[in-house]
Amino acid sequence: MASIKDVAAEAGLSVATVSRVLNDHPSVSDDARRRVMAAVEALSYRPNAVARSLRTDQTRTLGLVISDVMNPYFTELARSVEEEARALGYSVIIGNADERPELQDHHVTTLLDRRIDGLLVSPTDRGSPRMLEAARAGTPMVFVDRWIPGVDVPVVRSDGRDAVRDLVAHLHALGHRRLAIIAGPAATTTGRERVDAFREALGDHGLDLPDAYIGQGDFQADSGRRVTEGFLDLAEPPEVVFAADNLMALGALDAVRARGLRVPDDLALAAFDDVRWFVHTDPPVTAIAQPTGALGRAAVRALVDRIEGRPGESVTLPARLVVRRSCGEPAPTTQSPHPSPVRRSTS
Amino acid sequence: MASIKDVAAEAGLSVATVSRVLNDHPSVSDDARRRVMAAVEALSYRPNAVARSLRTDQTRTLGLVISDVMNPYFTELARSVEEEARALGYSVIIGNADERPELQDHHVTTLLDRRIDGLLVSPTDRGSPRMLEAARAGTPMVFVDRWIPGVDVPVVRSDGRDAVRDLVAHLHALGHRRLAIIAGPAATTTGRERVDAFREALGDHGLDLPDAYIGQGDFQADSGRRVTEGFLDLAEPPEVVFAADNLMALGALDAVRARGLRVPDDLALAAFDDVRWFVHTDPPVTAIAQPTGALGRAAVRALVDRIEGRPGESVTLPARLVVRRSCGEPAPTTQSPHPSPVRRSTS
DNA sequence: CCTCCTCGTGGAATCGATTACATGAGGAAT
DNA sequence: ATTCCTCATGTAATCGATTCCACGAGGAGG
């Protein structure tokens, strides 16, 4: 593969001049510019990004360490992150942690070794030494969706408190009184917060959340199935399950169906995270929708701000409830794939 | 960030020795090794992958340019690619082409600029000059899922011919005679092949595929919706639509539902690509399942073989039919989320 | 005791770019 | 005519690693 020296030789100029042309530095003659361009063309030369990065100490690359790529929510997040990054002139390298701390650590390490300019993380746990160390050492970093308390890093996330309140009001209005939740891992902020928000909202209606109605999941479908089976085996099973993410809701659907029961008649179901498939499931699932694209974009902007020496602030965007049929209400008759929400949180 | 020089200074040795320890070269004394390790620890030194790559001319990184990350089939493929690559000591950088040739070209270019060791592509079109040039120039490359005829690059894909034949037999047995297809872009091999296989299978039953029953889609949900609406507007609409990928099937489902019609009663539906959500849609969708994980792994192995100087061969794996309820047959009574296929292709 | 190997180590070149500094030509100002 | 700038260009240092080559110490064999 042709290097800058080959181009310089072909053009009859020094590498310095070639470099100047390539980085359109003002002080080059038109003649030199033309000759360099011709040589570049003739050799189909492309600058070596590795060499350039070594010299300039910047890779124009962002690392994104995500909890689980197979989760449509994170897939969408990753996509919006890449789009915004590309618009700002950065590439993105995605690392999939699969909800496993040791894999997360592996990806953080290799990304850091590659000297990415900044790191976007949706932490699976409370943070490995390597990650905390990097944050302390000043590697530009932003948490997205989930975060680690006590670490001084901007957080871009969505606040589901209002939406959960709307959801509980909706469920209460439908006559449900025994409400259960399939929680996410306690090591994640989203795992804890969603339970807290749910409990708080139940409190508003004078209901409480007994321990038996808190199932411990891990954000994966299997755990949703397992927890739901446990709920159905209780002497007094809940009337509704609220899954803290879309995959556990899918697992819950599996469990209900495997027993030959029906949603919502035998057990109502709601989920955190709205995904397009929820429109087509049997029945369509009532869910709390996060502004996923906006989160990804905001996270990238905050990170790039940090990288380029600007402040880079935390952002919190509201989630909203999307009512469908999985909790018992007849479907609003509408053509739209996303029936109108009960209430839209203010932004 | 500490460099190898700092480590050398701290250990009281030369950078050469430090480098030898780090790459566990045989000829280093135990004493030197200990001192280097101590210095590495003390400075929490990590080697700079950028510098290393420049010197060794290898990045231990694979590029994966995928047609559409939001498509669950490709998400799963990407995941298996990353897993296998990691097992073989490589990282993966994913570029999402979003079915847009110019985006595909953008990613191929930046990946090549970064001097990735090899490229895995699922081409969106017939190939940009840059990509064809890279293939000709000997950049290790493997096509996965889709390929470009006439380019001398191994292809790892799945053959759906038998499964499509099984599908058509199934549809025919259910009494369907007017069968339509939502095709993928003609620029892609999968777009063309699935239509051919379908037509051929229809021929086996003395049926033909009129032009009016071939809708032109682009592998995205919207096109599935549009084409299906067109089918429903025909004087003699088809009894079945076969969508050439899962997203177009989703669009078809939208279209049917928007008219207040039912699957399979008013229109039966089948899809190429099985995704886990198809079990839970209303009704569960009959689909052709590709061995996605195996494809991803085989593709990585073929690519790494090429990179490391071994042959690196093409692989074709069979797809199989998974019957559910969207074509009219009552569901087989089973607990399994994937009811037993009508017939399993031999591997 | 001399020669020859082996082993551990260090010096320095190298990968492909960017960039500070030097240089020389040519024009403007005095 | 002399001095001083500006502009286009080149030389060479540099980034952080790897690796070829040279060298000295020490042991084995004659």
Side-chain angles (χ1 to χ4, degrees), chain B residues 192-206:
Chain B
R192 296 192 298 276
E193 285 173 348
R194 290 169 192 179
V195 175
D196 291 346
F198 193 59
R199 179 183 286 116
E200 203 178 296
L202 289 179
D204 292 351
H205 296 268

Side-chain angles (χ1 to χ4, degrees), chain B residues 55-223:
Chain B
R55 184 58 235 252
T56 61
D57 198 35
Q58 49 162 330
T59 50
R60 295 208 68 87
T61 301
L62 271 27
L64 170 63
V65 179
I66 224 167
S67 322
D68 179 10
V69 245
M70 297 293 286
N71 183 327
Y73 166 73
F74 285 112
T75 313
E76 196 179 335
L77 189 70
R79 183 207 161 115
S80 65
V81 162
E82 196 275 336
E83 274 176 5
E84 184 72 9
R86 179 153 33 81
L88 298 176
Y90 287 80
S91 301
V92 176
I93 304 184
I94 302 173
N96 174 30
D98 239 340
E99 304 286 1
R100 287 157 48 195
E102 78 282 7
L103 243 187
Q104 168 179 279
D105 198 44
H106 166 87
H107 285 120
V108 168
T109 305
T110 56
L111 289 168
L112 256 19
D113 286 357
R114 276 155 189 278
R115 302 299 192 264
I116 43 134
D117 293 341
L119 196 56
L120 231 40
V121 189
S122 164
T124 286
D125 61 0
R126 295 205 152 81
S128 63
R130 181 103 53 210
M131 198 166 105
L132 300 176
E133 160 68 22
R136 216 174 322 110
T139 305
M141 198 155 144
V142 166
F143 288 136
V144 58
D145 184 58
R146 310 178 183 173
W147 83 99
I148 301 176
V151 178
D152 182 29
V153 158
V155 179
V156 173
R157 64 188 197 99
S158 141
D159 180 3
R161 212 157 280 266
D162 287 349
V164 169
R165 208 184 311 265
D166 290 345
L167 170 65
V168 170
H170 168 66
L171 296 170
H172 190 268
L174 290 169
H176 298 304
R177 293 296 177 271
R178 296 199 306 278
L179 317 189
I181 186 168
I182 308 176
T188 62
T189 47
T190 49
R192 296 192 298 276
E193 285 173 348
R194 290 169 192 179
V195 175
D196 291 346
F198 193 59
R199 179 183 286 116
E200 203 178 296
L202 289 179
D204 292 351
H205 296 268
L207 301 173
D208 66 7
L209 184 61
D211 284 350
Y213 283 5
I214 306 179
Q216 192 53 59
D218 59 7
F219 284 140
Q220 302 283 335
D222 262 347
S223 70

Side-chain angles (χ1 to χ4, degrees), chain A residues 115, chain B residues 1-11 13-23 36 39-40 43 45-48 51:
Chain A
R115 302 299 191 263
Chain B
M1 195 160 281
S3 84
I4 197 172
K5 277 188 202 146
D6 303 315
V7 175
E10 172 83 12
L13 291 163
S14 73
V15 294
T17 302
V18 174
S19 175
R20 286 191 195 98
V21 170
L22 264 27
N23 295 283
V36 169
V40 163
L43 302 171
Y45 165 80
R46 291 250 75 211
N48 184 328

Side-chain angles (χ1 to χ4, degrees), chain A residues 86-269:
Chain A
R86 179 153 34 81
L88 298 176
Y90 287 81
S91 301
V92 176
I93 304 184
I94 302 173
N96 173 30
D98 238 341
E99 303 287 3
R100 286 157 50 194
E102 78 283 6
L103 243 188
Q104 166 179 280
D105 197 45
H106 166 87
H107 284 121
V108 168
T109 305
T110 56
L111 289 168
L112 256 21
D113 286 356
R114 277 156 189 278
R115 302 299 191 263
I116 44 134
D117 293 341
L119 196 57
L120 230 40
V121 190
S122 163
T124 286
D125 60 2
R126 295 205 152 81
S128 62
R130 181 104 54 210
M131 197 167 106
L132 300 176
E133 160 68 22
R136 216 173 323 113
T139 305
M141 198 154 143
V142 166
F143 288 136
V144 58
D145 183 59
R146 310 178 182 173
W147 83 100
I148 300 177
V151 179
D152 182 29
V153 158
V155 179
V156 173
R157 65 188 196 99
S158 140
D159 180 3
R161 212 157 280 267
D162 287 349
V164 169
R165 207 183 313 265
D166 291 345
L167 170 66
V168 170
H170 168 66
L171 295 170
H172 190 268
L174 289 169
H176 298 302
R177 294 296 178 270
R178 297 199 306 278
L179 318 190
I181 185 168
I182 309 176
T188 62
T189 47
T190 48
R192 296 192 297 277
E193 284 173 347
R194 290 170 193 178
V195 176
D196 292 346
F198 193 58
R199 179 183 285 117
E200 202 178 297
L202 289 179
D204 292 350
H205 295 270
L207 301 174
D208 64 7
L209 184 61
D211 283 350
Y213 281 5
I214 305 179
Q216 193 52 59
D218 60 6
F219 284 140
Q220 303 284 333
D222 262 348
S223 71
R225 176 172 342 187
R226 201 169 9 84
V227 168
T228 305
E229 279 164 5
F231 286 154
L232 292 172
D233 286 338
L234 291 175
E236 192 166 55
E239 295 156 331
V240 188
V241 248
F242 173 42
D245 88 336
N246 72 90
L247 294 180
M248 296 193 298
L250 193 61
L253 223 40
D254 276 345
V256 172
R257 160 187 249 263
R259 300 230 176 171
L261 301 176
R262 302 268 314 157
V263 172
D265 317 80
D266 300 301
L267 184 65
L269 177 68

Side-chain angles (χ1 to χ4, degrees), chain A residues 33-95:
Chain A
R33 195 179 309 275
R34 263 192 300 276
R35 278 154 65 197
V36 169
M37 296 316 256
V40 163
E41 189 66 28
L43 302 171
S44 51
Y45 166 80
R46 293 250 75 212
N48 183 328
V50 174
R52 195 199 295 254
S53 292
L54 177 60
R55 184 58 233 255
T56 60
D57 199 35
Q58 49 163 329
T59 50
R60 294 207 70 86
T61 301
L62 271 27
L64 170 64
V65 179
I66 224 168
S67 323
D68 179 9
V69 247
M70 296 292 285
N71 182 327
Y73 166 73
F74 286 112
T75 313
E76 196 179 336
L77 189 70
R79 183 205 160 115
S80 66
V81 162
E82 195 274 336
E83 274 176 5
E84 185 72 10
R86 179 153 34 81
L88 298 176
Y90 287 81
S91 301
V92 176
I93 304 184
I94 302 173

Side-chain angles (χ1 to χ4, degrees), chain A residues 19 22 27 53 85 116 174 193 235 240 245 272 297 311 342-343:
Chain A
S19 175
L22 264 26
S27 151
S53 292
I116 44 134
L174 289 169
E193 284 173 347
V240 188
D245 88 336
F272 208 103
R297 289 189 294 274
V342 154
R343 173 189 160 200

